[in-house]
Each structure stands twice: as C-alpha cells, then as structure tokens.
Amino acid sequence: MALELLKKAERMTEADNAPNFPRRVSLRAATFNSLGCYYRSRGKLNAALQFVEKAIKIQQRFKDTENPSRILINYAVLLSTMSRHKEAVEHLEGAIAILNDQERQISCDGGDGSRAQQDCVCALIVAHFNMWIELSRLGRRVASVDCAIRALNIARMKLGAAHSLTNRMEDALVVSREELARNAPPPRSGLPALANDARPRSAEPEEGARAD
C-alpha cells in the first residue's frame, strides 16, 4: 500500500500532470526522498540510492525545494549503510549548514520557542548525532568529541536537559570520550576525564537517525 501511494505521488508530480502547481517540484523531491527511505528500509540499497539521488538533483537545480536538509540527512544515512562514510560526512556538513541558517533566520524573525524552531533544532541535533557516528567510524575521535559537545550544548540550550535528544547526545559524548581515552596515545596536556563510575549505555554507536 505504501509503495502504491508513493508511486501514485510520483506520477502525479510529473511536469505533464501538474504543469501549473506551484509546489510540484518540492513534492516530487519529497516523494523521491520517501521512496528512497522505503527501499532502504527493505534492504534494497541500490534502488534507494537512485531515488534519493533524484531528490538531490532536484534540490540542486531548484533552490526553493522544501526541507533540503532532510534529504541530505537521509542521503547520508543511506551512504553510511553502504560504508561510504566520508561522503556521508560531506552531506551532513551541508545539512548542518542549512539548519544553522534556518534556525538563525527563525530567531531573527521572532520565532524563538516556536514549533518551527523546535523542529529545526531537533533536525540539527539529528544531523550532529549522525555526524558523530560517521566521525567515530572514520576514527576521527577528537572531531567526534567536538561534534558531540556542540550538539549537546545546542540541545541543552534549545530543548532543555530533560529532552530525549539531549539525553542521547549526553550518551554520545560519554562514548566518544571513553573511545578517545582508550585508543588515543597519552596527550601531553591532558584530556577531559570521565568519572570512574561513568559508563555509556552502549559500547558502540547506534545506527544513524533518519530525518523522516
């Protein structure tokens, strides 16, 4: 049923079927992105890649597409699944840049505390969380700690200490610091140390969070 609806949306957003509909391009990109998520969830990675890359091409050609960061985040998750971690980092950097700009614009427009700002901040934390995973898998442990700290600071300031994403980034920072302390050579100037009783909930980074 889901695939049938997505295929119907793909047909309805073709140029010949909706030539004068203002949101046609954005909806077509969103449809391709959703098809990519559908096929990824079923393990059909090549099909997923084809559809998400179609969404990326639309996004690059038409700058007014909706939620471009969501497409980039999902593309990065797909690339990560295919062990293309360096490429995933590049697309997450793009998503983070877009989301930072959006969040600043919302604040400038007086939208502090609004649902739009919260959604933007949540997406920004998701992007940072996935960036932390990719940097960890690439062995860039110092950068992964820095990424986790930035995300945690944003989460605490914008979402509050009790939010689930704040808790997730706290766990990510604990894992990153333990990985750094265990695998890196002894630093000359010292690194932030964990309390003796601090332990991560998971010894390995979990799979990337999607933006859909």
Side-chain angles (χ1 to χ4, degrees):
M1 178 64 73
L3 182 58
E4 291 178 9
L5 291 173
L6 289 170
K7 286 295 186 180
K8 182 178 179 180
E10 182 183 6
R11 291 192 299 271
M12 292 178 65
T13 55
E14 291 177 356
D16 292 340
N17 293 332
N20 299 317
F21 186 53
R23 295 183 60 215
R24 182 191 70 81
V25 172
S26 290
L27 291 174
R28 190 161 180 80
T31 299
F32 286 145
N33 185 51
S34 297
L35 280 164
C37 293
Y38 174 88
Y39 283 112
R40 175 184 172 273
S41 69
R42 283 152 180 80
K44 298 180 179 180
L45 301 184
N46 288 331
L49 189 66
Q50 290 177 12
F51 280 108
V52 178
E53 287 181 342
K54 286 182 179 181
I56 292 286
K57 288 179 181 178
I58 292 175
Q59 176 184 303
Q60 292 171 342
R61 183 178 177 186
F62 302 96
K63 301 303 182 182
D64 58 345
T65 53
E66 299 173 7
N67 296 319
S69 59
R70 175 175 297 180
I71 296 174
L72 291 173
I73 291 172
N74 287 335
Y75 190 33
V77 171
L78 178 59
L79 291 170
S80 178
T81 304
M82 303 175 78
S83 299
R84 294 164 60 177
H85 302 298
K86 289 183 179 180
E87 293 174 77
V89 166
E90 293 175 3
H91 290 286
L92 287 169
E93 287 173 344
I96 289 170
I98 291 171
L99 289 165
N100 278 327
D101 288 344
Q102 288 179 349
E103 202 276 328
R104 281 193 293 268
Q105 188 60 52
I106 291 171
S107 295
C108 290
D109 293 342
D112 286 335
S114 65
R115 176 62 183 271
Q117 186 190 47
Q118 186 175 52
D119 289 346
C120 183
V121 170
C122 286
L124 184 59
I125 302 303
V126 167
H128 274 95
F129 181 80
N130 290 354
M131 177 71 84
W132 164 71
I133 290 175
E134 299 310 311
L135 293 172
S136 298
R137 288 174 174 169
L138 289 169
R140 296 170 57 184
R141 296 186 181 90
V142 174
S144 72
V145 169
D146 291 341
C147 179
I149 290 173
R150 285 196 303 273
L152 180 56
N153 288 337
I154 295 169
R156 284 174 172 169
M157 182 171 59
K158 300 290 186 177
L159 302 177
H163 197 280
S164 61
L165 286 176
T166 305
N167 296 332
R168 176 167 286 194
M169 290 315 307
E170 287 172 344
D171 292 345
L173 183 56
V174 170
V175 171
S176 288
R177 282 176 167 167
E178 285 205 340
E179 285 291 322
L180 188 61
R182 185 166 60 249
N183 294 300
R188 296 180 181 178
S189 58
L191 290 171
L194 289 172
N196 290 334
D197 60 347
R199 292 290 183 274
R201 295 181 185 175
S202 173
E204 295 294 334
E206 61 186 270
E207 290 299 321
R210 290 185 297 136
D212 56 350

